[in-house]
Amino acid sequence: MMPIWVALASTLTVLMTSFNGVPAKTVTDAERLFSDLMVGYSKMFRPVLNESNLVVVSTWLDLISIQDFNEVEEKISFTALLYLAWNDERLVWDPKDYGGIDNLYIDVSKIWVPQMMLTNNVNKNERLSEDWHTVRVNASGVCVYYIANVFTSSCNVDVTFYPWDTQTCSLDFMPANYGIDKMSLYPLNHKVQLTYYSPNGAWDLMDTSVTSEAYSFMVRFNVVLERKPRFAIVNVILPLIIMSALNILVFLIPTECGERISFCLTVLLSIAVFLTLVGDNLPKNSNPMSLFSYYLVSVLVISVAITLAVICSLHVYHRSEKQQPGGAWRAIAMCLGCYCVRRPGSESADRTNRSDEIKFARPENASDRSSPGMHSMPYSSHTHRGVILYRPTHSYGTLPSDRPEDKPLQKKEMDDSDSSVLEITWADVSVALDKVFFLFLFLLLITDTICFLMIIYNNVSF
């Protein structure tokens, strides 16, 4: 049983409404209004009394969120509200006759509504309205229809400056069942509404615009998106640059360890895997091509060049010592490393050549080995691996320069000493080549990376 105070409040409200001259809005009035409006009404005909008149439908879009953006398949999904407003000349009434009711909600299946379609839909083109939708109609005949849906449209993706790229996608709406002489679309705003917009984690919404196309027969809602590059920088670009720099360091690995080739091939395969991963995340088209793809190819070519350089260096390092390096190889090794490899015993020759004077000395037991009647003979002294050696430099009574037969021997010894000062081996040539390859490829990689980053960041295409 209804409480007494509730009944009293309801009665008081009705009395006050009647006293103020405002009629009460009851369900009976709404039912009577709907029945009167539907008398002789057919949704098959346009909402104009004169069939030669054009039906103008005003429209605007309220973007809620970016549901998904698939760059590979070139499609984007928006969650949005599409607003349609038009004037139905057959749905007009006087609110005073129906208890002051000035607006009414009617199902789409009961009255005429503009059947809209998304022309750049990636799926099957279907009408956007559903029978369970409702239309708000006011007393002057103005109808407002809200269509909330997830709109999936195609989008031409331009990844030239990936990951600093900017994409422009659109939603194109047009009537599905009328021609340009029967119906036209008019955008109420020049911008997409962002009343309920929720930001996206991968894209920033930079700008929006609304244009009328095809002689006001189609409305295009444009959305400009800019990619957030942090994810691609941290997960793709930085690892690639680090691996490329790591590949250059192969020339610092000693040749004797035997791990150079495996190291180069490992890094080369890693870069090839990165090339595959990036290619899977970009559209499969050739125009335009991403500049980042060209950079990946250039890094791959540099890695292949590093591998070939290491093979060449190892080949030179293990060449036979029977064939001595030529003049060009010796010049490269001397200019880059100044490697001076001594032959065994060359240290004694250097010490002999660097001495300022020839020291003459007699062994302690020289008198024991000398023949009777002979004077003591001068001896030359030099060391050989820490051992003091003595050998006669001239015969009794003469100086070395006084005996002609000793001059060829002295000349031969001087020639042997001069030829043993510097000896360039194939190992020295290999080390020198490592320096050349390291410097050249390092500068090439730095130049390639800097040029790529500058071109991408400044959005300058070649």
Side-chain angles (χ1 to χ4, degrees):
M1 186 174 179
M2 183 181 295
I4 299 176
W5 66 271
V6 174
L8 292 175
S10 301
T11 304
L12 182 61
T13 303
V14 173
L15 292 175
M16 292 180 62
T17 304
S18 301
F19 180 77
N20 293 331
V22 179
K25 300 178 182 179
T26 62
V27 177
T28 304
D29 293 334
E31 292 178 350
R32 184 165 55 89
L33 172 60
F34 177 74
S35 299
D36 294 343
L37 291 177
M38 293 295 103
V39 173
Y41 187 93
S42 176
K43 67 175 184 179
M44 296 179 57
F45 302 99
R46 294 184 303 128
V48 290
L49 299 179
N50 186 355
E51 284 296 323
S52 61
N53 292 339
L54 188 68
V55 178
V56 179
V57 177
S58 301
T59 178
W60 68 97
L61 188 73
D62 200 332
L63 184 63
I64 298 177
S65 65
I66 301 171
Q67 193 74 15
D68 182 43
F69 192 2
N70 192 329
E71 300 100 309
V72 179
E73 298 181 5
E74 294 187 309
K75 65 180 183 180
I76 187 170
S77 298
F78 296 101
T79 301
L81 287 170
L82 178 64
Y83 294 85
L84 301 175
W86 67 96
N87 188 20
D88 194 330
E89 298 178 1
R90 295 177 296 175
L91 299 178
V92 180
W93 71 90
D94 189 356
K96 296 180 181 180
D97 299 335
Y98 300 94
I101 298 177
D102 56 357
N103 61 76
L104 188 67
Y105 287 89
I106 305 176
D107 289 344
V108 170
S109 59
K110 302 296 183 180
I111 62 175
W112 182 92
V113 294
Q115 300 295 336
M116 306 294 295
M117 67 177 181
L118 183 63
T119 57
N120 57 345
N121 192 354
V122 295
N123 301 317
K124 181 180 179 181
N125 283 330
E126 297 178 350
R127 67 174 188 174
L128 301 179
S129 61
E130 299 289 343
D131 291 340
W132 56 270
H133 292 173
T134 59
V135 180
R136 189 182 69 180
V137 184
N138 63 14
S140 59
V142 176
C143 303
V144 180
Y145 182 22
Y146 309 98
I147 303 176
N149 203 345
V150 177
F151 303 102
T152 302
S153 65
S154 61
C155 180
N156 294 327
V157 179
D158 185 358
V159 292
T160 303
F161 304 107
Y162 174 87
W164 287 276
D165 54 328
T166 301
Q167 308 298 335
T168 301
C169 300
S170 64
L171 295 172
D172 301 339
F173 295 98
M174 65 180 299
N177 51 358
Y178 288 103
I180 192 173
D181 57 335
K182 300 295 182 179
M183 182 176 172
S184 66
L185 299 178
Y186 176 76
L188 286 181
N189 299 304
H190 297 289
K191 296 286 184 179
V192 175
Q193 302 300 306
L194 304 174
T195 307
Y196 311 103
Y197 179 72
S198 177
N200 186 268
W203 297 88
D204 286 328
L205 180 61
M206 304 303 296
D207 192 16
T208 62
S209 62
V210 182
T211 58
S212 180
E213 306 290 338
Y215 302 100
S216 299
F217 192 65
M218 182 177 67
V219 175
R220 175 170 296 169
F221 300 95
N222 301 305
V223 177
V224 180
L225 303 174
E226 184 179 60
R227 188 192 304 270
K228 297 179 180 179
R230 184 179 302 176
F231 179 84
I233 292 175
V234 174
N235 293 277
V236 180
I237 297 179
L238 285 182
L240 181 63
I241 294 176
I242 292 173
M243 284 194 303
S244 302
L246 190 65
N247 202 9
I248 294 290
L249 299 180
V250 69
F251 297 105
L252 302 182
I253 300 177
T255 308
E256 294 80 4
C257 70
E259 297 293 335
R260 282 190 164 190
I261 296 297
S262 60
F263 181 86
C264 289
L265 293 179
T266 301
V267 178
L268 181 61
L269 291 177
S270 301
I271 296 175
V273 170
F274 263 86
L275 182 62
T276 304
L277 292 177
V278 174
D280 292 339
N281 294 324
L282 296 178
K284 304 298 186 294
N285 53 26
S286 299
N287 188 21
M289 277 283 292
S290 174
L291 296 181
F292 187 67
S293 299
Y294 291 110
Y295 174 70
L296 284 175
V297 172
S298 65
V299 171
L300 185 65
V301 171
I302 293 176
S303 299
V304 172
I306 291 174
T307 304
L308 295 178
V310 170
I311 294 174
C312 177
S313 178
L314 291 176
H315 175 73
V316 172
Y317 183 85
H318 292 286
R319 292 193 67 174
S320 176
E321 295 295 338
K322 295 181 180 180
Q323 182 182 1
Q324 296 298 324
W329 295 116
R330 292 170 60 89
I332 293 175
M334 292 178 64
C335 292
L336 296 176
C338 296
Y339 293 99
C340 301
V341 180
R342 314 293 185 184
R343 288 180 181 176
S346 61
E347 295 179 359
S348 60
D350 292 341
R351 291 193 183 97
T352 304
N353 294 332
R354 288 195 302 266
S355 61
D356 297 330
E357 59 181 1
I358 301 176
K359 298 181 180 179
F360 295 92
R362 177 180 177 176
E364 296 178 356
N365 57 353
S367 59
D368 299 336
R369 294 195 302 267
S370 60
S371 300
M374 293 182 63
H375 299 285
S376 55
M377 300 172 60
Y379 285 79
S380 65
S381 171
H382 66 279
T383 60
H384 179 68
R385 295 185 181 181
V387 180
I388 301 177
L389 302 178
Y390 297 88
R391 61 188 178 93
T393 57
H394 58 85
S395 61
Y396 172 75
T398 61
L399 294 175
S401 59
D402 295 339
R403 297 190 58 179
E405 59 273 15
D406 291 339
K407 292 181 178 181
L409 181 61
Q410 296 172 7
K411 183 176 181 181
K412 180 178 180 181
E413 291 177 354
M414 294 176 64
D415 293 341
D416 292 340
S417 178
D418 294 338
S419 62
S420 64
V421 173
L422 296 176
E423 180 182 353
I424 305 299
T425 63
W426 287 113
D428 302 324
V429 175
S430 176
V431 174
L433 288 178
D434 287 342
K435 287 188 175 183
V436 174
F437 292 145
F438 176 81
L439 182 61
F440 174 74
L441 294 172
F442 178 76
L443 294 177
L444 182 61
L445 179 63
I446 292 296
T447 303
D448 184 31
T449 303
I450 292 177
C451 291
F452 160 74
L453 293 178
M454 293 298 295
I455 292 175
I456 293 295
Y457 187 76
N458 294 323
N459 289 350
V460 178
S461 60
F462 44 77

